Amino acid sequence: MSDTSGRKMFCGNRVRALRIANAISQRMMAQRLAISASYLNQIENNAKPVPTRLLVTLCDMFSVAPSYFGDDGEIRMLRLLREASSDPMFRSSLPEREIHGAIRDNPAFVKMFLELYRSARTMHEQGSEAQPDKRTEAERASAWSKLSSAYEIVGDWVQAERNYFDTLDRAAEQLYETARLDTDTIGTGLERHLRDRFGVTVSTTPAEPTVANSSPCHFDTTEKTAHFVPGLPGPTRTFCMARLVAHLGYCTLIDEAARHPLLSDENTRSIARAAMANYFAGGLIMPYELFAAKAKAFKHDLDRLQTTFSASFEQVCQRLSSLQRPGAEGVPFYFIKADVAGNVLKSYSANRFSRARFGALCPRWNVFESFSAAGKLIIQISQDTEGGLFISVARAVVSHPQSFFDRQPKRAIVLGCSVAHADEVVYSSMLNLHDPRTFISIGPGCRSCVRADCEHRAMPQSGFFFQPAAGA
């Protein structure tokens, strides 16, 4: 957005990304902007804001919209409003200038509108109808609140925290050290800790058939035994043990972390507690300082990190997306897990990248290409609708079937960061960051994408009617 609100705009990472993508040195770019190289360096490191005069010059110089420099929250809100306003229920959608104006002038109202829209969609999907009744206002408010997806609410909360929870992260890191989990393999160390600290026995004998349980691990509270499914992959088994440690020893801390105004009912709090137990488990297997140091040393080589920490591809990627400890931040990554139908199962972002909330994922994204080559890394330079460039790494993963009749689900894991961090990521060595022809234009989803001429478009963009291709 343009700086019409008068606030200071710190967007050095985007300025740097433009410069790198166009193969321009700091000195050369400073000359073109008529500023000193030291001043540009301060801007790129967010020590100085970008003045409106320079913002206009940068937009003209690199042919990008002012929204390219907008903050992450505004970018996400912009895409959500585009997507929501194009819903057929409104019969006509908002022009782009009115969408920008609403976010600039009435952001609080836009947030309320999006919450209302999400609730209406949930009600529609459940086949419910809002019937007038004689309930009190509090009862109606409570019923309306329950219409919203609990998972989306928890997801919004995690995103608002940038997927970093300091108390849990530090507690997991401290336990890793005090329990001396580094003296054995992590699996052996966790098994020892469960036995010595909680009196829990780990068994590979399945639980009794009478127990209705489809998870890889069942904890028998009476016998204090953790039963694991035979043949369970090592990283999954290790993660289950770490999560059990979280539930047995840190439930109070987890409850405190999940105590937030956004989590207004027991359903959302229950989901949040499960998410926090998983977060603790990741922090215990991959403690912050050690993991961040290795990630930096390996230039975020995902396979090397998997081997070093005996973790799965998904576990490593999700942990990388949470390295946002104040004063010790890692590269800001986005992380997405999706199935073959494009359903998003998990989504976190520590940068400006965002995906469709209500519609499908962009078909031009390497997440779909990865499904045709399971296990292979598919690397792409993705360019979003605001001109931002991202290094996107995707891999489809599938568990080994236990029998001929076993149909294991295939999932794609995607990790990405701005090209501003190209020097810190090993995968940039395989990419030509200076040739725009190699950039793959992607959008957050057809409904909120502004690329009207995209041949992959499946539905109209906000503010336009859909014109099928000739002969279709």
Side-chain angles (χ1 to χ4, degrees):
M1 309 295 166
S2 59
D3 193 20
T4 55
S5 63
R7 70 185 172 195
K8 295 179 179 180
M9 294 189 66
F10 292 89
C11 48
N13 60 325
R14 289 161 214 169
V15 174
R16 183 178 178 222
L18 283 174
R19 180 175 62 76
I20 292 174
N22 288 273
I24 303 174
S25 67
Q26 264 194 351
R27 184 178 297 278
M28 184 183 299
M29 185 163 169
Q31 290 175 348
R32 293 186 184 182
L33 294 172
I35 60 176
S36 68
S38 61
Y39 185 30
L40 177 58
N41 184 62
Q42 288 178 308
I43 287 175
E44 289 193 0
N45 287 285
N46 286 327
K48 294 283 187 182
V50 180
T52 303
R53 174 184 63 80
L54 283 184
L55 189 69
V56 173
T57 303
L58 287 166
C59 290
D60 293 339
M61 183 184 297
F62 296 106
S63 300
V64 296
S67 59
Y68 171 80
F69 299 97
D71 65 41
D72 297 350
E74 285 188 345
I75 293 294
R76 292 190 183 93
M77 193 183 297
L78 171 68
R79 292 170 179 170
L80 286 174
L81 188 55
R82 280 178 186 155
E83 193 176 0
S85 68
S86 66
D87 193 302
M89 69 183 287
F90 295 118
R91 298 187 180 179
S92 63
S93 51
L94 291 173
E96 187 73 5
R97 66 179 183 280
E98 293 189 19
I99 291 176
H100 281 264
I103 294 172
R104 182 185 65 242
D105 300 330
N106 297 290
F109 181 81
V110 171
K111 288 181 180 179
M112 292 176 64
F113 168 78
L114 291 172
E115 284 298 316
L116 183 66
Y117 175 72
R118 180 171 62 182
S119 297
R121 276 184 59 90
T122 304
M123 181 172 64
H124 175 73
E125 289 166 1
Q126 292 177 346
S128 303
E129 294 184 0
Q131 298 290 343
D133 55 32
K134 297 182 179 180
R135 292 176 295 176
T136 66
E137 184 176 348
E139 289 173 332
R140 288 195 298 271
S142 176
W144 184 255
S145 175
K146 291 178 182 178
L147 292 173
S148 296
S149 166
Y151 283 97
E152 285 188 359
I153 292 172
V154 173
D156 288 344
W157 167 61
V158 173
Q159 181 60 60
E161 300 294 334
R162 299 193 69 177
N163 194 27
Y164 177 74
F165 298 88
D166 192 72
T167 55
L168 288 174
D169 215 306
R170 292 184 186 276
E173 188 172 38
Q174 183 179 23
L175 177 60
Y176 180 88
E177 296 172 357
T178 57
R180 298 178 292 108
L181 297 181
D182 58 339
T183 59
D184 300 297
T185 62
I186 187 66
T188 302
L190 285 171
E191 189 170 339
R192 168 173 49 80
H193 181 69
L194 283 169
R195 182 187 66 245
D196 296 346
R197 173 67 178 84
F198 303 105
V200 171
T201 301
V202 174
S203 172
T204 54
T205 303
E208 292 296 324
T210 54
V211 178
N213 177 55
S214 60
S215 68
C217 173
H218 170 70
F219 179 54
D220 188 321
T221 56
T222 302
E223 297 182 359
K224 300 191 79 172
T225 302
H227 295 277
F228 287 94
V229 174
L232 198 65
T236 304
R237 185 173 182 272
T238 298
F239 189 85
C240 288
M241 285 193 287
R243 186 170 55 197
L244 182 56
V245 170
H247 285 300
L248 293 175
Y250 293 85
C251 55
T252 301
L253 205 60
I254 288 171
D255 288 342
E256 289 175 356
R259 197 171 293 129
H260 190 278
L262 277 175
L263 311 174
S264 57
D265 57 60
E266 183 52 37
N267 194 22
T268 53
R269 284 192 291 271
S270 176
I271 295 170
R273 284 192 290 268
M276 291 302 94
N278 289 340
Y279 184 93
F280 182 94
L284 183 56
I285 296 169
M286 295 164 279
Y288 196 101
E289 288 189 4
L290 177 61
F291 184 79
K294 291 293 185 182
K296 184 177 181 180
F298 296 161
K299 296 189 73 172
H300 301 88
D301 186 321
L302 300 173
D303 293 299
R304 290 190 69 184
L305 288 170
Q306 277 186 257
T307 302
T308 301
F309 291 91
S310 302
S312 69
F313 185 76
E314 178 180 348
Q315 290 166 6
V316 165
C317 290
Q318 186 162 340
R319 185 56 173 150
L320 285 172
S321 73
S322 68
L323 300 183
Q324 293 301 304
R325 179 176 292 179
E329 294 90 344
V331 170
F333 285 102
Y334 64 78
F335 164 87
I336 292 179
K337 179 180 179 180
D339 65 15
V340 292
N343 298 309
V344 176
L345 309 177
K346 292 182 185 178
S347 176
Y348 309 114
S349 181
N351 55 44
R352 60 172 286 182
F353 186 88
S354 63
R355 50 87 182 176
R357 171 69 65 84
F358 307 111
L361 294 173
C362 177
R364 290 172 59 84
W365 203 18
N366 58 344
V367 59
F368 295 106
E369 185 182 351
S370 70
F371 284 118
S372 63
K376 181 181 178 181
L377 279 177
I378 307 296
I379 306 168
Q380 177 186 83
I381 305 177
S382 307
Q383 185 170 40
D384 68 12
T385 51
E386 278 68 47
L389 294 174
F390 299 87
I391 297 172
S392 178
V393 180
R395 173 180 280 169
V397 295
V398 59
S399 301
H400 186 74
Q402 299 298 309
S403 73
F404 173 76
F405 300 101
D406 189 11
R407 297 294 183 266
Q408 290 291 324
K410 188 183 292 185
R411 314 292 196 196
I413 309 298
V414 189
L415 190 76
C417 69
S418 167
V419 295
H421 299 280
D423 293 342
E424 303 171 72
V425 180
V426 67
Y427 305 107
S428 63
S429 61
M430 302 179 63
L431 303 171
N432 186 344
L433 301 175
H434 309 304
D435 187 349
R437 293 175 298 179
T438 67
F439 305 164
I440 305 299
S441 298
I442 65 169
C446 288
R447 278 172 49 187
S448 56
C449 182
V450 296
R451 293 190 174 99
D453 59 346
C454 178
E455 61 183 5
H456 297 274
R457 179 170 288 283
M459 59 182 64
Q461 70 179 106
S462 176
F464 293 87
F465 292 103
F466 186 43
Q467 295 293 336

